[in-house]
Amino acid sequence: MSEPTALRARAGTLRGAVPGWLGRSLRAARAPFPRAAAVRGALAVSVPLMVGLLAGHPVAGVVVGLGGLWAVGQDSAAPYRARALRIAALGGSAAVGLLAGATALRYGDAVVIAALLAVAGVVSGWVSVGGPLASVAGMHLLLGATVGTGIPVPGPWWAGPLELLGGALFALTLTCLPWLWRRHSPEREAVIAVFDAAERALSRAGTSGATEARARMTLALNTAQDLLAVHSSRKHAERPTSIGGLITAFRASVQLVEAVTALMVEGRPLPPAVVRVPSLLAARVVPPVRAGRPVPDASGPVPDREPEPPFTAGTPGLRALAEVYRAPGRSLTLLPDPPAYAGPRLADRLRFALLLGGCTLAAAVVAYLLHGPRGYWLPMTVAFLYKPDLGPVFGRALNRCLGTVAGVGMVAVVAWLVTDQWALTLVAAVFGAVMAAGVRYHYALSTFGLTVIVFVFIDFLGDDRQLLPSRVLETVIAAALVLTAHFLTRPDSWRVRAELRVAAADRAWRRYDRRAPAASPDERHQLRRTAYRRLAEARQALDTAGAEPHRDPDRFPVLERRVARAEQGCDAITAYVVAGGRR
């Protein structure tokens, strides 16, 4: 056996020895490197530190940098308005939490501080389950309170909260600055991603990768739908603006995906003339962008008739693709709104609030026994970890520990090589970029960057560097507290959620099967989009549930087979209606 073959065999053996749920917990996301996010992370952390040094107020620089760090860690590729609301909610809630924590630290004793953190945990848990924006606000309310009770901020009572809020607003400025020249860039990139995914799906028609390619196409369409939903009113759609053009392009992408799905069901490899149709269509219908795709030449003559497709339409799928190519988006008059699930039940909301409050109180007590007034790391780690809405709790705990261990190892290297505070600001810039990029890739990577930045903050605050290695132990203790609370109270929460999502997907595709043949084009698109969205949500819930340790491993293959059958049924009914009701 050759050496490469032997290495591959050993790697396969190792993969087989790792439980499936553990492998999913350690798996990194596949995404292009977020250069802009990395630059924002570097600037949001390092610039406040530099200004603090120049002004002679390094502690203020740390507090401002902390606000920027948290804001960059919660940034996303959403439209600028949604990102601004998210960061503003984060900054405001963190400032309120810091004010409450600093007040308890100034005027209270250890009992008052522990009581405040317990109350902050209950309030944070109650607020967090109210949706994505509330989740961010609730978590950073608790984070602000933990920092306020652990780090004495000099100056008047209002200085620390304003500095923290100022750091978040600085990161908000960095985030939204491109809005001046790329106002609808996230929406535009999401629409282009649908056309790109459709082209990849066509290239894999008739191959073993067709199913995965179709699923990725559906996810791209879901993302574009979510980003454009806020602009979906007729007022926006009928205006000759860039967002109106994007809505038109999205309508074309919806019909394109339907035709591509029919071609995938036909199961034949397609010639290059068919595969490149999504690119040709995108060049015609997507408004020009400055990055990622050349701007189409608008100076040429305007055609006086519909263009002919560069292929012969011999099957129902090809005929549907030709129709979309000739008149993209013509028959779809409304942008469907994304369906929403009902909010959490009162009992679930109360249970999570009490659990988070109890974990925070236990963490505060243990931290006080270990470090006294410098014990903010343990309750802060609980606030980061106990976020079931952000993914599997076990995976977050495991990756937090791994990232902290790696970060402390890097800190040892940095402490040996760097002692000057100006040089440390450059270290903060580098690892601010690492943390911001890690948010898009892997939780352990973002924790790795965060741990090194905390070391820089500790040095600026004048705290004892010897405290940092003990952060590994505290992280493990926080993870143990969170996992104990989670698995003792609701060990099967993700399995139950996955089963509910699979049942919803079953109902949605069967409704599509019953109603689509007799439905109008708009109704058919709505039924199909809802069915495929529910299927994508079921897949995501199963993937998340599979990353948690579970007592019934045979249950997940059954659910996955149900989703696969439902996807095949959706594809079949789509091909049926595209063929005009002929099987």
Side-chain angles (χ1 to χ4, degrees):
M1 183 183 294
S2 64
E3 184 174 349
T5 304
L7 289 174
R8 285 195 295 270
R10 283 197 293 269
T13 303
L14 288 175
R15 284 194 297 270
V18 175
W21 57 266
L22 182 58
R24 292 186 181 187
S25 297
L26 298 174
R27 188 171 55 196
R30 290 185 290 183
F33 181 74
R35 290 174 295 178
V39 171
R40 287 194 299 270
L43 294 176
V45 176
S46 62
V47 170
L49 295 179
M50 291 180 181
V51 173
L53 283 178
L54 288 172
H57 298 287
V59 176
V62 168
V63 178
V64 175
L66 184 63
L69 178 70
W70 286 347
V72 168
Q74 290 296 323
D75 200 6
S76 66
Y80 288 110
R81 180 174 178 272
R83 293 161 77 178
L85 288 174
R86 187 179 181 89
I87 295 176
L90 175 156
S93 59
V96 171
L98 182 65
L99 176 61
T103 302
L105 182 63
R106 289 189 183 197
Y107 304 110
D109 54 14
V111 175
V112 172
I113 291 174
L116 171 75
L117 289 177
V119 171
V122 171
V123 174
S124 172
W126 183 269
V127 171
S128 290
V129 295
L133 192 63
S135 175
V136 170
M139 179 172 71
H140 286 84
L141 174 72
L142 181 54
L143 288 175
T146 59
V147 170
T149 58
I151 300 177
V153 179
W157 61 269
W158 44 263
L162 282 183
E163 289 161 1
L164 191 68
L165 180 60
L169 294 179
F170 175 58
L172 175 61
T173 302
L174 295 175
T175 295
C176 294
L177 192 61
W179 178 87
L180 296 174
W181 61 88
R182 298 180 66 198
R183 181 166 302 185
H184 298 301
S185 172
E187 296 95 328
R188 186 179 288 112
E189 291 171 2
V191 171
I192 290 175
V194 180
F195 288 92
D196 291 341
E199 185 165 324
R200 286 193 297 271
L202 289 175
S203 70
R204 288 164 175 76
T207 70
S208 58
T211 300
E212 182 182 357
R214 202 276 306 148
R216 291 186 178 279
M217 181 176 64
T218 299
L219 288 175
L221 192 62
N222 288 346
T223 301
Q225 179 184 2
D226 290 343
L227 295 188
L228 285 167
V230 69
H231 308 293
S232 62
S233 68
R234 191 179 299 275
K235 173 185 68 175
H236 287 292
E238 293 178 351
R239 289 179 178 175
T241 60
S242 59
I243 197 62
L246 285 173
I247 291 175
T248 299
F250 175 80
R251 293 170 176 168
S253 73
V254 170
Q255 293 180 303
L256 173 67
V257 167
E258 185 176 55
V260 170
T261 301
L263 286 168
M264 305 286 278
V265 172
E266 291 176 4
R268 304 183 187 92
L270 299 169
V274 176
V275 172
R276 69 170 180 265
V277 163
S279 290
L280 299 174
L281 192 59
R284 283 170 47 205
V285 301
V286 179
V289 294
R290 298 188 181 185
R293 183 179 292 273
V295 177
D297 183 10
S299 59
V302 178
D304 56 359
R305 61 187 179 86
E306 295 176 348
E308 287 299 319
F311 59 86
T312 302
T315 69
L318 290 174
R319 286 194 294 271
L321 187 64
E323 182 181 345
V324 176
Y325 185 81
R326 293 190 187 100
R330 174 175 293 178
S331 64
L332 185 62
T333 59
L334 294 175
L335 183 73
D337 292 325
Y341 286 99
R345 296 178 302 174
L346 179 61
D348 292 334
R349 194 166 193 160
L350 182 60
R351 180 189 296 111
F352 178 63
L354 293 176
L355 284 174
L356 183 57
C359 287
T360 306
L361 176 60
V365 172
V366 175
Y368 185 80
L369 295 175
L370 290 175
H371 298 300
R374 285 292 186 270
Y376 55 86
W377 186 272
L378 224 162
M380 184 172 68
T381 304
V382 167
F384 276 119
L385 286 181
Y386 207 0
K387 294 293 294 175
D389 58 308
L390 298 182
V393 176
F394 180 86
R396 288 177 66 80
L398 174 63
N399 287 305
R400 186 86 186 181
C401 293
L402 294 176
T404 302
V405 170
V408 169
M410 179 57 67
V411 163
V413 176
V414 172
W416 180 51
L417 296 175
V418 181
T419 56
D420 180 70
Q421 285 190 322
W422 286 102
L424 283 175
T425 61
L426 298 180
V427 173
V430 171
F431 287 93
V434 170
M435 192 218 70
V439 169
R440 312 292 177 92
Y441 282 113
H442 202 282
Y443 189 52
L445 181 60
S446 65
T447 303
F448 168 69
L450 176 68
T451 303
V452 181
I453 295 169
V454 169
F455 161 75
V456 176
F457 286 172
I458 286 175
D459 194 87
F460 272 66
L461 292 172
D463 277 358
D464 187 0
R465 290 186 176 188
Q466 300 305 316
L467 278 177
L468 198 58
S470 68
R471 301 311 188 193
V472 175
L473 174 62
E474 294 175 60
T475 301
V476 172
I477 293 173
L481 287 173
V482 167
L483 292 176
T484 300
H486 180 67
F487 286 110
L488 283 181
T489 56
R490 298 201 71 187
D492 296 326
S493 58
W494 277 106
R495 179 187 61 79
V496 172
R497 184 177 302 186
E499 290 177 342
L500 291 174
R501 294 291 190 265
V502 172
D506 269 337
R507 291 192 298 269
W509 94 261
R510 294 183 189 282
R511 185 165 55 248
Y512 174 45
D513 189 19
R514 289 194 309 271
R515 300 181 183 178
S520 68
D522 288 341
E523 292 170 337
R524 188 177 74 245
H525 287 305
Q526 177 70 40
L527 289 167
R528 184 174 59 82
R529 289 298 307 121
T530 301
Y532 279 113
R533 174 177 286 274
R534 295 297 195 207
L535 286 166
E537 290 167 346
R539 281 284 185 195
Q540 184 178 17
L542 282 171
D543 191 59
T544 303
E548 291 272 26
H550 36 266
R551 296 174 295 183
D552 186 12
D554 296 333
R555 180 62 177 156
F556 288 97
V558 173
L559 294 174
E560 288 171 351
R561 287 194 293 271
R562 283 177 58 187
V563 174
R565 286 196 297 268
E567 288 172 339
Q568 293 169 1
C570 270
D571 292 347
I573 192 62
T574 298
Y576 175 75
V577 296
V578 163
R582 299 182 298 274
R583 294 195 185 267

